[in-house]
Amino acid sequence: MPTLNSTNAPRERQIGASAPDRTGIVHLGIGQFHRAHAAVNTAQAMAAEDGDWGIVGVANRSRRIIDSMTAQDNWYSVLQLSPEGADVQLVDVHRKYLVASEQPGEVIDEIADPAHRIITLTITEKGYNKDSNSGKLVTGSPEIAPGLTGPEAATAPLAQLAWGLAKRARESAAPLTVLSCDNMQSAGSTTRDMTLQFLVAAGADNKVLDYVDTQVSFPNAMVDRIVPGTNDQTRSQVEEILGLRDESPVPAEAFTMWVIEDQFAAGRPAWEHANGVTFSDEVEAYELVKLRLLNGSHSLISYLGGLSGSPTIPSAHDRQWIANCVDAAIHNEYLPSIELPTGFDADAYITQLSHRWQNHALGDKTFRVGSDGSAKLVQRIPEPALRMLRMGQMPHQMALTTASWIACVAAPEGFDPGEIADAMDEPQRKNLAKLTAGAKDIHEHVERIMTGGFFPEELGAHQEFTDRVAEFIRIITTDGVEKAAAEALS
Ligand code: CS2
């Protein structure tokens, strides 16, 4: 089977336009999500309006994706999977690649290059290294600490961003936009805060700090498209439809949404012409809708699913008791905690969410959504939970989410959460095990986690919440997760 490349790529399948050779965007964290989201929207924008918006893709560590894209003359496929069927579309907007862990100096040069006017980021929640209590950058973390000593030791994307801005401030001081595409509350403002804190900790002078303050914009944005990992089945489905081999295709659902604050310091692609993109000054409201209704419930599905042996999100959601918990989480706990954007139809959004979670063709994995829970839950649980606790109400479903996360990645002695939970990638697994070692019972086990810096102190101090989480874990470990769900619903 021939491999996809610029000569054989069927143009009728191409999304939008090919990028010119001149690059205008540097993307930190090239991987699945960016390639099915911002890259697609950029191709569509360039079809509507020309522009020098080729993308420099920076991989974190692994060369796998960028090596195949290089071998394929930058072309790759998006395999759109929905209950109605499968379709392959092709994208050609990347023009150069780097690997952050190996080429820090070159990444910093690309950020400083005045031809580049937008830096986009998908570095995941944990990449921002924000302490959940103080809101401060964790300068002592193994990712951040080395980079504080100088640009050549900066391998973390946030550190490279900061050193790139410092270099740019000294060389051209050209205006720039930094656009976070991660699932975080106030994603733009958080990126700005963490970058400035890094620069201060690294001893940056006023010229650099003033430059970031006055010439660099950090729009907030809400990003949304469910994008699972690629496996052999993805490759063979693409092969069957396309008649060509793609080593790194991206599977994705049809739904796509991007709500962005229109604050671009140095121009932008005509993204308003792209599918699912809206510019709005109510972005933070959209962020909360998505983080809570979609992502918060998604975590609940993944941990309940993981503990009940459901390998995929749709197979978990098919269990009526899990769907009931999600319904209760949305209606009783998450929805009352947010102010909806003007004109937003919450009922339609919720109905659409349940269709998205039932997408068996996409088959998103529970272990994917359950991974990195320590960095994700802190964006999803504490604020809405505290809102209820302060009013004297118990957020049962959020306590259940927390309990099932703990049962999956930091199970009490003697409880085996099963192979799906074991496959969840949890960066804090070792720390959680150390923290809970020797706890005399489940309650102490939970108390140590709730007060161990994973959640804000105020949540850890709510004894009733800890009691409820411990109670759920007790039921999970003795009578099973379905019983715990029944208790949460009663
Ligand atoms: C998921 C998200 O990993 C997760 O926790 O909730 O990746 C989700 O699929 C995306 O945010 C959808 O836009």
Side-chain angles (χ1 to χ4, degrees), residues 358-432:
Q358 287 163 33
N359 188 344
H360 281 275
L362 188 66
D364 194 14
K365 300 278 192 285
T366 30
F367 91 82
R368 179 192 78 81
V369 179
S371 291
D372 282 357
S374 54
K376 290 173 178 174
L377 291 190
V378 73
Q379 295 289 331
R380 305 175 184 187
I381 302 264
E383 272 196 28
L386 281 168
R387 176 193 151 273
M388 290 181 72
L389 289 164
R390 287 182 198 127
M391 294 190 300
Q393 297 167 6
M394 175 54 63
H396 298 283
Q397 300 302 331
M398 290 186 226
L400 182 63
T401 311
T402 311
S404 51
W405 168 64
I406 294 175
C408 281
V409 303
E413 188 83 14
F415 177 68
D416 174 6
E419 58 184 20
I420 297 172
D422 288 346
M424 289 175 185
D425 189 5
E426 172 51 71
Q428 295 293 339
R429 237 176 231 277
K430 277 201 186 118
N431 289 340
L432 284 160

Side-chain angles (χ1 to χ4, degrees), residues 33 183 223-227 290 294-295 298-299 356 364 368-369 376 380:
F33 185 70
N183 282 319
V223 295
D224 192 6
R225 190 171 196 187
I226 298 178
V227 183
K290 200 259 169 168
L294 191 165
N295 297 119
H298 222 185
S299 295
R356 294 172 66 194
D364 194 14
R368 179 192 78 81
V369 179
K376 290 173 178 174
R380 305 175 184 187

Side-chain angles (χ1 to χ4, degrees), residues 14 44 131 226 378 475:
Q14 181 173 6
Q44 291 165 334
D131 183 273
I226 298 178
V378 73
I475 305 175

